[in-house]
Amino acid sequence: MKDTIQFFSSIIVLIFVNSCKAQTTSLVAENAKLVQIANEYSFTEGPASDQEGNVYFTDQPNDKIIKWNSSNNSLSVFKEPSGRANGLYFDHNGRLLAAADENNEIWRIDENGKVDTLITNFENKKLNGPNDLWVDLKGGIYFTDPYYQRSYWDRTTAELTNKNVYYILPNSNTVFIAATNLVQPNGIIGTPDGKTLYVADIGDQKTYAYTVTENGNLTDRKLFTTMGSDGMTIDNKGNIYLTGNGVTIFNSKGEKIHHIPINEEWTANVTFGGKNQDILFITAKGSIYTLQMNVTGVRYTY
């Protein structure tokens, strides 16, 4: 009986290990290699893909937004100066949203680079420093607002007591606090059905999953993993990608399933781009990397 139990236990372990291996190896395309496509920047951040698969990212110290053209793998300056933009995301009308850190604002930028400032303060107090954004199915905008002291600011303290996640109602400039009780909220990404929002609290080394309510509030906070993150993305299998020490991938249950090492001191952010949304686009220190994947992004699939 004991031998039989040990036999079946071994089979179960073997199946589990092989299943994990299969899931891990299926994420990255066969024989794919990490490619450094540029290393000429100071600190790259905030990658966001448009509907054609081009990726826009920021070089915050140099006050630029750069465009990567997915058709020919070329790079060009999209906007300079850029309001010291940090995180980026496209709205449903193809306009680029930017967490404009210089004056602690949220910008909406059209294809010609014209800026419409959406938010400049909260309850007549300057925002801490909008960092990252995500747009829900209705067009509402969630953004994180940590506080990182900048050399180009006149102030040295925050006007707001808390570091929150905010929500801008669709087609308006009305903003309210969607989630609080965070140390330093940073990366943010939602599921394609709009029902779950992940928020990384890098100051507390935790990432949470929230339920998104009909009015935009975030409820039912659950600990997703005991790892914070600078930036985040999600693939079509529901896996969550966190950054910092390379890129660490978790399944929807919060289990670590893969790690992509990056030979840089810090990996800031990550998204999917390319015409088929199957190229992982990684910003790390002064560099940009790409990796061909078997999974895809979800930004333009709903």
Side-chain angles (χ1 to χ4, degrees):
M1 182 67 177
K2 183 178 179 181
D3 291 340
T4 302
I5 293 172
Q6 288 179 336
F7 172 77
F8 281 108
S9 296
S10 299
I11 292 295
I12 291 170
V13 169
L14 185 61
I15 291 172
F16 174 78
V17 170
N18 286 338
S19 175
C20 289
K21 285 182 178 179
Q23 185 177 14
T24 297
T25 55
S26 66
L27 293 172
V28 180
E30 187 176 0
N31 299 321
K33 293 183 179 179
L34 191 70
V35 177
Q36 184 188 62
I37 62 173
N39 64 352
E40 62 197 70
Y41 306 106
S42 294
F43 192 86
T44 55
E45 250 286 12
S49 174
D50 66 16
Q51 197 155 4
E52 286 71 47
N54 306 307
V55 177
Y56 294 68
F57 64 93
T58 61
D59 183 9
Q60 191 182 42
N62 292 318
D63 205 10
K64 297 178 182 179
I65 297 176
I66 315 296
K67 176 184 177 181
W68 172 70
N69 190 310
S70 63
S71 297
N72 56 21
N73 201 33
S74 66
L75 295 163
S76 60
V77 175
F78 169 70
K79 187 168 182 61
E80 181 187 13
S82 65
R84 300 281 186 174
N86 197 334
L88 304 173
Y89 206 85
F90 279 91
D91 70 12
H92 299 319
N93 296 309
R95 297 168 298 191
L96 185 63
L97 301 171
D101 188 73
E102 184 171 27
N103 293 309
N104 315 104
E105 299 169 333
I106 300 295
W107 285 7
R108 183 170 58 205
I109 310 170
D110 69 16
E111 60 182 5
N112 299 312
K114 182 181 177 182
V115 172
D116 178 17
T117 302
L118 300 182
I119 298 294
T120 60
N121 63 75
F122 179 71
E123 296 181 344
N124 297 316
K125 293 183 179 180
K126 188 182 289 291
L127 291 164
N128 292 326
N131 188 276
D132 213 346
L133 317 98
W134 181 73
V135 177
D136 67 13
L137 298 181
K138 302 174 186 176
I141 304 166
Y142 290 93
F143 68 91
T144 55
D145 189 43
Y147 187 91
Y148 296 105
Q149 183 63 48
R150 305 300 191 189
S151 60
Y152 44 82
W153 288 349
D154 292 331
R155 62 172 175 158
T156 55
T157 57
E159 294 182 16
L160 292 166
T161 302
N162 297 318
K163 300 163 186 176
N164 303 314
V165 177
Y166 293 88
Y167 182 67
I168 306 174
L169 289 170
N171 305 311
S172 79
N173 295 79
T174 302
V175 60
F176 63 81
I177 296 172
T180 188
N181 296 322
L182 297 158
V183 177
Q184 197 80 311
N186 203 309
I188 186 169
I189 197 71
T191 54
D193 62 8
K195 295 180 179 180
T196 303
L197 185 70
Y198 295 92
V199 177
D201 188 351
I202 196 169
D204 199 27
Q205 288 303 299
K206 292 180 175 65
T207 296
Y208 297 102
Y210 293 85
T211 297
V212 180
T213 66
E214 185 66 25
N215 63 6
N217 280 311
L218 300 177
T219 63
D220 192 28
R221 181 170 93 167
K222 291 184 174 66
L223 180 65
F224 177 69
T225 185
T226 54
M227 176 181 168
S229 186
D230 197 343
M232 303 171 69
T233 196
I234 185 172
D235 68 24
N236 63 320
K237 302 295 184 182
N239 301 312
I240 304 298
Y241 295 60
L242 305 185
T243 63
N245 175 22
V247 179
T248 305
I249 307 173
F250 296 82
N251 64 21
S252 59
K253 297 178 181 179
E255 300 164 337
K256 179 181 174 180
I257 58 173
H258 193 53
H259 180 255
I260 302 169
I262 308 292
N263 189 26
E264 302 283 353
E265 293 177 12
W266 186 253
T267 299
N269 216 323
V270 62
T271 197
F272 282 88
K275 292 190 178 300
N276 299 315
Q277 290 291 311
D278 59 353
I279 296 175
L280 196 63
F281 191 95
I282 304 164
T283 63
K285 291 294 286 184
S287 299
I288 295 296
Y289 294 86
T290 58
L291 182 64
Q292 186 67 49
M293 305 292 286
N294 277 331
V295 289
T296 65
V298 299
R299 180 64 176 90
Y300 301 104
T301 58
Y302 46 75

